[in-house]
Amino acid sequence: MCGICCSVSFSVEHFSKDLKEDLLYNLSRRGPSSSKQLLKSSVSYQCVFSGHVLHLRGVLTAQPVEGEREDVFLWNGEVFSGIKVEAEENDTQIMFNYLSSCKNESDILSLFSKVQGPWSFMYYQASSHHLWFGRDFFGRRSLLWHFSNLDKSFCLSSVGPQIPGEASQWQEVPASGIFRTDLKSASISKSVVLKLYPWQSVSGENVIKECVNSLIQVSADLPTFVSVVANEAGLHLKDPVVPLNRTLRQAPLEMPRGTIISVPPTRETLQMFLTDRHMKEVVQQFLEVLSLAVQRRVSCLPRDTNLTPSAALEMGARRANVAVLFSGGVDSMVLAALADLHIPLDEPIDLLNVAFATKEKTVLAGFNQKRKNQKSRYETPSKESSGDDATGGGDGGVDRRFGVPDRVTGRAGLKELQAANPSRIWNFVEINVSLEELQELRRARIRHLVQPLDTVLDDSIGCAVWFAARGAGWLVAHGDTGSYRSSAKVVLSGIGADEQLAGYSRHRVRFQTHGMEGLIKEIEMELGRISSRNLGRDDRVIGDHGKEARFPFLDENVVSFLNSLPVWEKADLTLPRGIGEKLILRLAAVELGLTTSALLPKRAMQFGSRIAKMEKNHEKASDKCERLKSFP
């Protein structure tokens, strides 16, 4: 994961060798392993490239990468499949090698059509003065652009600046395809023409319509000196996933014989579905493809391989390399259980569980002052660490302000995982956030990362994910409570499960009002807008800690498998909550040996963590959020 940036100027009086200090600082937080800047000047334009690398794979490769022909490449991505990258190789260098061998536009598009994994990139071809850039199909990596009317310049960056008022001028680069612009022509005409190479649509007859819609959408918020046009050759990227199965069920679902849907539902209810041979086979196939997606995301990481066996047995001797955003719900439980299959057994897994202080009167039941002050074997948080001493957790002393629903289900989920694999060290990290800390760090850091998104929902989710990913909190182990900060550089997120498997309440409403056809359209819309609604924001927020967000449910093979299924094999909303939504995932959880968590109804993060109750209780999620605004 990296922070990448390219600043382009067309007027000599505005040429600068450096980026603004606050933008460089935000980029460097994303890539603490290496920072490098490169200047490329022509007679009529100048490019400043800046790369900041978080080293996770192969040999550390500083960015920007420059070739013999003075081409420049910046890559913020992971190649999980599609093109071959050996375990000891670095995908940045492999991608640049492939790009350098491309002879034309078609070769470049063919390359990016093959890559499976999250990415955003910038590629400068010196000989042709062309600058290519874009994001992957789902927009799993952030990329922003900013166009200045003053000097007709523009900037591309993983993250925006912190200067009040300026951050709001940046917008997300749409995940509509790949863009190319001719910098030499732009410098002469004083206008920037962005040529779009869109993702190919489902059928040939829709390509033109989809391309026109993309152009209209992309052009809407751009200044007059910038235009977006279709590439002259009509070239496209190939969709990385199969189309959504739109088959409508002709006959009502036949329940397995003897099935009685109890309220509340039981694990036995789910097990009855698995007596159907076809359903069991589908669930097994889903588990296989999802398990492989998790494996690809937790492997090939720098690990402590030189510790002695005795040292490895000591508590805390091995660092966790992988963490899970963990609520104890079925999404995060399945990810944790699958990660357990693929991570070395002597390596801990961090379960990051965030809670925001509720307004009830604080009662510390039997909290042990001696335990609070004792030296623990864990790292002591810095001043910006979550919570004061009074927020320390543990079964022996619970601050009731943080007894939020996700904390309760998280602790229950921890017990399930411990029972499933008692040999694993499961680090359940209780991250407690007070109102004062939320307000201070939202103002200092989070609001700049959430922008250009600006709703109450963006505020709630952005803040919750930022604190969770930071991983600074309390760890309870062997009866001791210690302050702890997660060292994991990879953070697994369950995003994509609800969108594909009808997990939200709006899916049930749509099904009740418009039937199966309406539900299919809702699922299609959810996946279509996930790049602009969620993923850029989450990448910026998690990346701010020098960590990389990984989304197994959005693996191309997982999405293709789920898209190939008729909707009723993924979710059946004629069944009650806790069974019908995300049915296939609940059945997968049962197959993995999970118990209570397989039946938990969907609870949105902003409600489970109680951040939605901390400040203004009567806001709508879609309202513009005043707290995110930057004031001069």
Side-chain angles (χ1 to χ4, degrees), residues 462-536:
C463 290
V465 172
W466 189 90
F467 280 105
R470 188 177 67 170
W474 299 91
L475 193 63
V476 181
H478 307 297
D480 292 337
T481 302
S483 57
Y484 181 83
R485 183 183 288 269
S486 173
S487 60
K489 298 301 182 186
V490 167
V491 179
L492 299 182
S493 165
I495 194 167
D498 290 305
E499 287 79 2
Q500 297 179 80
L501 304 177
Y504 294 119
S505 57
R506 57 180 174 268
H507 288 115
R508 196 171 283 273
V509 172
R510 189 70 185 267
F511 176 71
Q512 290 168 348
T513 54
H514 294 92
M516 187 74 74
E517 192 169 358
L519 176 60
I520 291 170
K521 287 181 180 178
E522 189 76 15
I523 290 173
E524 189 172 48
M525 180 195 69
E526 292 279 6
L527 212 53
R529 70 181 183 180
I530 199 169
S531 64
S532 58
R533 188 177 174 91
N534 305 88
L535 292 171

Side-chain angles (χ1 to χ4, degrees), residues 140-160:
R140 288 165 289 187
R141 289 291 171 260
S142 170
L143 190 62
L144 307 177
W145 59 21
H146 173 245
F147 297 92
S148 172
N149 259 314
L150 177 65
D151 57 350
K152 305 298 185 280
S153 65
F154 69 94
C155 187
L156 304 166
S157 179
S158 299
V159 64

Side-chain angles (χ1 to χ4, degrees), residues 284-529:
Q284 289 287 355
Q285 291 172 345
F286 174 51
L287 266 177
E288 287 173 14
V289 71
L290 183 60
S291 181
L292 181 57
V294 172
Q295 181 183 20
R296 286 172 173 161
R297 284 156 177 79
V298 301
S299 303
C300 299
L301 297 174
R303 290 192 152 92
D304 298 328
T305 56
N306 56 353
L307 289 179
T308 64
S310 59
L313 290 173
E314 292 181 20
M315 179 67 177
R318 275 206 186 279
R319 298 180 303 109
N321 290 299
V322 176
V324 183
L325 296 182
F326 189 76
S327 66
V330 66
D331 309 355
S332 59
M333 284 291 291
V334 167
L335 290 185
L338 291 176
D340 179 47
L341 299 178
H342 303 297
I343 293 174
L345 189 56
D346 58 355
E347 182 180 302
I349 296 176
D350 286 349
L351 308 174
L352 308 178
N353 182 272
V354 67
F356 292 83
T358 55
K359 294 177 181 177
E360 288 85 3
K361 186 177 179 181
T362 302
V363 179
L364 291 173
F367 187 75
N368 191 321
Q369 186 69 25
K370 183 178 180 182
R371 175 185 296 174
K372 179 188 71 173
N373 294 326
Q374 69 184 1
K375 290 184 179 180
S376 78
R377 54 176 66 95
Y378 311 109
E379 176 190 348
T380 301
S382 63
K383 289 182 180 178
E384 68 170 357
S385 174
S386 266
D388 52 34
D389 285 343
T391 64
D395 293 335
V398 178
D399 186 337
R400 293 183 185 177
R401 292 181 301 164
F402 299 105
V404 303
D406 279 1
R407 179 61 46 81
V408 175
T409 54
R411 286 175 171 168
L414 170 65
K415 291 178 180 178
E416 278 192 47
L417 292 172
Q418 288 172 330
N421 186 359
S423 300
R424 169 81 62 192
I425 296 174
W426 299 96
N427 289 334
F428 185 70
V429 189
E430 299 188 354
I431 299 159
N432 301 326
V433 186
S434 67
L435 177 61
E436 295 74 22
E437 188 180 20
L438 168 64
Q439 292 174 339
E440 177 188 346
L441 286 168
R442 177 199 283 125
R443 183 171 55 252
R445 291 232 48 82
I446 303 170
R447 65 180 179 183
H448 311 294
L449 302 166
V450 172
Q451 289 176 348
L453 303 189
D454 59 2
T455 68
V456 170
L457 181 65
D458 293 316
D459 173 49
S460 295
I461 300 294
C463 290
V465 172
W466 189 90
F467 280 105
R470 188 177 67 170
W474 299 91
L475 193 63
V476 181
H478 307 297
D480 292 337
T481 302
S483 57
Y484 181 83
R485 183 183 288 269
S486 173
S487 60
K489 298 301 182 186
V490 167
V491 179
L492 299 182
S493 165
I495 194 167
D498 290 305
E499 287 79 2
Q500 297 179 80
L501 304 177
Y504 294 119
S505 57
R506 57 180 174 268
H507 288 115
R508 196 171 283 273
V509 172
R510 189 70 185 267
F511 176 71
Q512 290 168 348
T513 54
H514 294 92
M516 187 74 74
E517 192 169 358
L519 176 60
I520 291 170
K521 287 181 180 178
E522 189 76 15
I523 290 173
E524 189 172 48
M525 180 195 69
E526 292 279 6
L527 212 53
R529 70 181 183 180

